[in-house]
Amino acid sequence: DINFKPNLIKVGLFRIIALSLAIIFAFNVLLVLKPNEYANFILIFSFIQIISISVLSWPNQYLLNYGRESLSKTGKLNTILTARIIVHIILFICLVIIIIFLSPSFAKFFNLEIDVLKYSLIFGILTFPLVDIFTTYTQVYGKFFSYSISPIVQRFFQILALILLYYNFYDDWTILIFFTIIGYFISFMFLFIEAPKNDLLNLKFCKNELTNLFKYSSYIPISTISLLL
């Protein structure tokens, strides 16, 4: 059985640390970046978050709810995880194609460099949803350590980018967006290491599972977009 009280305390303590780092970042970012540079960072970061949440992360609720049910009945969730991965790969490929075609127009409209926008979005939507997927997967198994430290890792790399900029080790604001993506990637690696490997090593396609995922989750993208708006 999962002992929720220690996990809750642990998560709470790590969240306090993450919040402290977020405050440090917020108070110092405009001392290092120019207002237009910070605006560019926020714009790209927001694009990544909106795309990740509304397009790539909506099936996670199915993985969480039905994964727990499958785990309690069968001791595994390989078919559910397989369905989740298949949907993610298809959506990701479609998004990459769209980003490649639309980046020049968006970059011109928002006065950004094409390559900065394009590669930030591609690598951002690669890493951010993976953190969400494996956060959900580890939570199904009652593992919360990596989930707890993920925000700390992400804020640490953002602050590290500010330090490098402040001391002139690097002179371009884009390091902040790239270090943010690196922070998310390191968070994903922590989650992957902690995640049980039995399902990942025994992925199994089940058509009914894929159908159920779409039936259960069909309304979630619309409701998520509504909340974001």
Side-chain angles (χ1 to χ4, degrees):
D1 294 335
I2 300 170
N3 194 335
F4 285 101
K5 188 174 180 180
N7 283 325
L8 185 62
I9 294 173
K10 186 189 300 181
V11 170
L13 289 173
F14 282 125
R15 291 290 163 168
I16 291 172
I17 297 172
L19 178 60
S20 301
L21 293 176
I23 292 172
I24 292 172
F25 173 79
F27 271 99
N28 287 278
V29 64
L30 286 177
L31 298 176
V32 178
L33 298 184
K34 299 174 182 177
N36 65 307
E37 293 174 336
Y38 182 60
N40 289 338
F41 165 73
I42 291 296
L43 181 65
I44 293 175
F45 186 71
S46 298
F47 276 152
I48 295 171
Q49 284 191 313
I50 291 171
I51 294 170
S52 298
I53 293 170
S54 61
V55 182
L56 292 170
S57 293
W58 54 267
N60 289 341
Q61 196 61 44
Y62 179 81
L63 174 61
L64 181 64
N65 292 342
Y66 284 84
R68 285 172 174 168
E69 182 179 325
S70 176
L71 191 62
S72 64
K73 290 181 179 179
T74 66
K76 57 185 178 181
L77 51 145
N78 56 333
T79 56
I80 293 176
L81 186 61
T82 303
R84 176 66 187 93
I85 291 173
I86 289 172
V87 171
H88 180 75
I89 290 173
I90 293 171
L91 291 174
F92 176 75
I93 291 172
C94 292
L95 278 173
V96 169
I97 294 171
I98 292 171
I99 288 170
I100 291 172
F101 276 100
L102 294 183
S103 286
S105 299
F106 275 90
K108 184 177 180 181
F109 183 81
F110 290 107
N111 196 28
L112 294 166
E113 293 182 25
I114 294 174
D115 286 345
V116 170
L117 179 62
K118 179 171 63 178
Y119 291 115
S120 296
L121 291 179
I122 290 174
F123 285 104
I125 67 168
L126 173 65
T127 54
F128 283 39
L130 285 176
V131 171
D132 291 340
I133 291 171
F134 276 82
T135 293
T136 305
Y137 178 54
T138 52
Q139 285 180 350
V140 171
Y141 277 95
K143 297 180 179 294
F144 295 91
F145 175 75
S146 296
Y147 161 73
S148 302
I149 66 170
S150 286
I152 297 175
V153 173
Q154 293 153 19
R155 298 294 86 75
F156 169 79
F157 275 92
Q158 288 180 328
I159 293 173
L160 179 59
L162 292 184
I163 293 172
L164 293 176
L165 286 167
Y166 182 79
Y167 288 102
N168 296 316
F169 289 106
Y170 200 83
D171 60 357
D172 194 324
W173 69 271
T174 55
I175 191 177
L176 181 56
I177 193 70
F178 293 132
F179 267 52
T180 299
I181 292 171
I182 290 172
Y184 274 80
F185 178 75
I186 299 299
S187 297
F188 159 67
M189 292 305 299
F190 275 113
L191 288 160
F192 182 80
I193 292 169
E194 185 180 28
K197 304 301 185 294
N198 52 315
D199 298 307
L200 292 166
L201 295 174
N202 294 282
L203 295 175
K204 182 180 179 182
F205 175 72
C206 177
K207 184 179 179 181
N208 290 337
E209 207 69 74
L210 193 61
T211 303
N212 290 337
L213 186 154
F214 280 105
K215 284 182 179 179
Y216 177 82
S217 306
S218 58
Y219 71 93
I220 295 179
I222 297 173
S223 60
T224 302
I225 292 172
S226 299
L227 287 172
L228 289 170
L229 295 175

